[in-house]
Amino acid sequence: MTPREVLALCREREIQAIDLRFMDFPGTQKHFTIPAKILVEKSFEDGFGFDGSSMRGWKAINESDMLVVPQPDTAFVDPFMPNTLVMTCNIQDPITREDYAKDPRNVARKAESYMRSTKIADVANFGPEAEFFIFDDVRFDQNEHECYYHVDSIEGQWNRGKAGSGPNAGYKIRHKEGYFPVPPADTLQEARTEMMLALMDCGVDVEAQHHEVATGGQCEIDMKYAPLLKTADNLLRYKYIVKNVAAKYGKTATFMPKPLWNDNGSGLHLHMSLWKEGKPLFAGSRYGGLSEMGMYAMGGILKHAPALFAFCCPTTNSYKRLISGFEAPINLTYSYRNRSAAIRIPVHSPHPENKRFEFRCPDSSSNPYLAMSAVLMAMLDGIQNKIDPGHPLEKDIYDLKPDELAELPGVPVSLEEALQALRDDHKFLLVGDVFTEDVIDTWIWYKTDHEVAALRERPHPFEFAMYYDI
């Protein structure tokens, strides 16, 4: 929509409030709301001021003033708040009017612009499969003298012997057996359908929704592929809608990668393809039906994967998911059909327009603007430098003998290791000024001080189980 069309929509739908949203540096959506009468056509150029010093990883207190500039093509009517229109905003410096380098959305815009400048492609399509859990009860705390968490779901296997105020129907999903059950075992069908319909009403194309593998309420709603920036914008809507529909049902949704021990975690599988002048560039006669360009793009991702993990798997909890035996990729390889590889080439359709590959390592704790931008930059580097992805993996990783497994490059085992990889390998991200040294340094500093060090300093509950009687 144009600014005039947004204003017309406001009149047509009797909009009274405009919710202005953006994403902070680590990846949490923020907002503030203005009366609809304040929004005029000039607002889409002038923007609205706010205090940037309170945003994590952004401006210092002595240079805190910033602008949010609403983007009319992101407008949608909020399905939860009455008479409210939502718009995603870009962040600008109020004096220079330059786009702010540490605005994650600005990084994504620059990544797409740089891609077009290379003449390699004019569109990078991303199709995300975002997994999440819906719980009925969550409690956790951290103090000087205690640390605990407790999550519960009426679907959870641990509840099959529970006695309470009402009868126990017995339909509990066993660990690792939650894929595609029908109701009544699948207690979340109605809520997921409402999420799907709300997404579609808000302009997000959906391909399917279903229960996922884990017990205790793991779900997935698949969005149709779209260009990088639009997909990142859609993922913000996705999280907002999932969390609010869950709240409507008296439940709580989390995109934490590994909230349950000893069962599958939640990933953000990214299906990717490059296009130019309306034609797909990854279809060809090489391995798995890929083109030479597609092979080089995979080579770029595999070469830079350890550094990419700092953005694609950016929490300490991410690495609880990346372990053997739970369908998460633990080795940096590629394969046709094989879901145990870091990159999988799907076989759903022989049509060239459907030819793509799937990067299975990322998870939904990531900032989608930064994660997908980093992956695109790795693909472009692979294409420009003709990086060979090596030999494919035709066996199930989990069936390999130790000596065979030792020959495969492994994923980082901790956030600290991934941040060090980013420190050592980030020149490919700086090309075209897409990422800047300041963005990289701030990301490493924030994640190290606020997450890696914070967790390392605190006793863990399992340490009591292991060591209390030592």
Side-chain angles (χ1 to χ4, degrees):
M1 286 188 285
T2 65
R4 288 187 179 182
E5 289 171 333
V6 170
L7 296 174
L9 177 63
C10 289
R11 292 190 295 269
E12 176 188 337
R13 301 292 292 271
E14 298 182 348
I15 298 298
Q16 298 176 10
I18 306 295
D19 205 45
L20 303 173
R21 298 185 185 174
F22 57 95
M23 180 168 270
D24 72 2
F25 196 52
T28 301
Q29 192 171 191
K30 302 292 184 179
H31 81 131
F32 65 93
T33 308
I34 61 172
K37 65 181 181 181
I38 293 179
L39 185 73
V40 295
E41 198 166 341
K42 198 169 175 51
S43 303
F44 294 88
E45 295 181 10
D46 294 345
F48 299 91
F50 76 104
D51 179 7
S53 66
S54 297
M55 295 296 114
R56 298 177 295 173
W58 278 10
K59 293 283 192 178
I61 192 70
N62 62 315
E63 52 180 17
S64 59
D65 291 340
M66 304 186 77
L67 290 176
V68 295
V69 183
Q71 301 303 297
D73 57 323
T74 67
F76 67 95
V77 177
D78 194 310
F80 308 105
M81 303 297 170
N83 305 106
T84 299
L85 185 87
V86 177
M87 281 188 287
T88 302
C89 302
N90 294 334
I91 308 300
Q92 289 186 353
D93 185 288
I95 298 175
T96 65
R97 297 306 304 260
E98 292 181 351
D99 293 322
Y100 185 43
K102 285 189 280 191
D103 171 17
R105 195 171 193 271
N106 182 40
V107 173
R109 292 163 60 214
K110 289 193 292 183
E112 287 189 322
S113 178
Y114 170 69
M115 173 192 64
R116 290 188 290 268
S117 75
T118 65
K119 308 299 183 183
I120 291 173
D122 50 34
V123 174
N125 279 323
F126 285 77
E129 296 179 3
E131 298 166 337
F132 55 93
F133 279 86
I134 297 177
F135 294 125
D136 293 286
D137 185 55
V138 176
R139 290 178 282 116
F140 55 88
D141 209 347
Q142 167 73 59
N143 295 299
E144 286 77 3
H145 70 292
E146 64 180 355
C147 175
Y148 70 91
Y149 71 89
H150 174 87
V151 299
D152 201 8
S153 165
I154 60 173
E155 291 184 355
Q157 176 177 315
W158 55 86
N159 277 323
R160 62 189 178 193
K162 184 177 181 179
S165 57
N168 186 338
Y171 290 105
K172 310 302 177 187
I173 294 175
R174 289 179 287 272
H175 288 295
K176 301 176 71 172
E177 294 186 23
Y179 203 59
F180 285 17
V182 297
D186 179 3
T187 67
L188 299 166
Q189 169 67 13
E190 183 180 351
R192 283 198 315 274
T193 297
E194 187 167 331
M195 293 169 185
M196 178 182 73
L197 297 177
L199 282 165
M200 295 166 64
D201 285 343
C202 292
V204 179
D205 289 333
V206 175
E207 293 190 333
Q209 61 90 350
H210 57 84
H211 202 288
E212 255 298 339
V213 172
T215 187
Q218 191 182 33
C219 300
E220 178 176 314
I221 303 174
D222 298 333
M223 295 184 290
K224 186 177 180 180
Y225 68 85
L228 189 158
L229 185 63
K230 184 175 181 181
T231 296
D233 287 341
N234 284 345
L235 277 166
L236 267 64
R237 298 187 195 186
Y238 183 102
K239 284 189 173 183
Y240 177 71
I241 288 170
V242 165
K243 291 178 180 180
N244 278 277
V245 171
K248 176 182 173 181
Y249 280 79
K251 301 177 186 291
T252 175
T254 181
F255 289 85
M256 188 176 175
K258 190 77 170 185
L260 295 182
W261 173 67
N262 206 33
D263 211 334
N264 284 34
S266 294
L268 176 66
H269 305 155
L270 295 176
H271 293 253
M272 298 172 290
S273 62
L274 297 182
W275 294 62
K276 187 174 183 179
E277 297 176 353
K279 297 181 180 179
L281 301 179
F282 280 2
S285 58
R286 300 286 296 273
Y287 178 83
L290 287 181
S291 64
E292 185 176 59
M293 180 183 291
M295 298 294 291
Y296 290 146
M298 288 197 304
I301 290 176
L302 293 174
K303 176 184 176 181
H304 298 296
L308 293 178
F309 271 67
F311 290 111
C312 294
C313 303
T315 66
T316 58
N317 185 252
S318 298
Y319 299 85
K320 306 290 196 299
R321 165 183 167 255
L322 297 169
I323 57 176
S324 178
F326 296 95
E327 298 186 24
I330 58 172
N331 291 93
L332 298 175
T333 58
Y334 69 98
S335 180
Y336 190 50
R337 303 182 65 180
N338 192 339
R339 293 175 185 268
S340 64
I343 296 179
R344 179 182 73 98
I345 305 168
V347 298
H348 299 311
S349 174
H351 300 299
E353 61 269 21
N354 292 325
K355 185 52 63 178
R356 63 193 187 277
F357 58 77
E358 174 192 13
F359 187 32
R360 295 179 57 81
C361 297
D363 66 58
S364 292
S365 69
S366 61
N367 183 323
Y369 297 108
L370 300 181
M372 289 191 290
S373 295
V375 171
L376 175 59
M377 294 300 288
M379 286 198 293
L380 294 174
D381 185 64
I383 294 166
Q384 290 168 321
N385 293 290
K386 299 183 177 180
I387 298 174
D388 188 340
H391 297 294
L393 177 75
E394 301 294 357
K395 300 178 181 179
D396 188 332
I397 286 177
Y398 308 123
D399 290 337
L400 294 180
K401 296 178 181 178
D403 57 332
E404 293 178 299
L405 196 60
E407 297 177 359
L408 299 175
V411 302
V413 298
S414 68
L415 178 58
E416 188 172 17
E417 185 179 324
L419 293 171
Q420 183 59 51
L422 178 63
R423 191 177 283 114
D424 296 337
D425 176 28
H426 63 263
K427 289 184 179 179
F428 72 101
L429 297 171
L430 304 178
V431 181
D433 199 38
V434 174
F435 289 76
T436 64
E437 288 282 6
D438 186 34
V439 167
I440 300 295
D441 290 344
T442 302
W443 186 262
I444 293 172
W445 160 77
Y446 184 89
K447 288 289 176 176
T448 299
D449 282 15
H450 293 265
E451 299 181 30
V452 173
L455 188 68
R456 185 168 52 227
E457 292 170 357
R458 289 161 171 80
H460 189 283
F462 191 54
E463 290 178 314
F464 282 80
M466 292 191 294
Y467 305 133
Y468 187 77
D469 60 347
I470 198 166

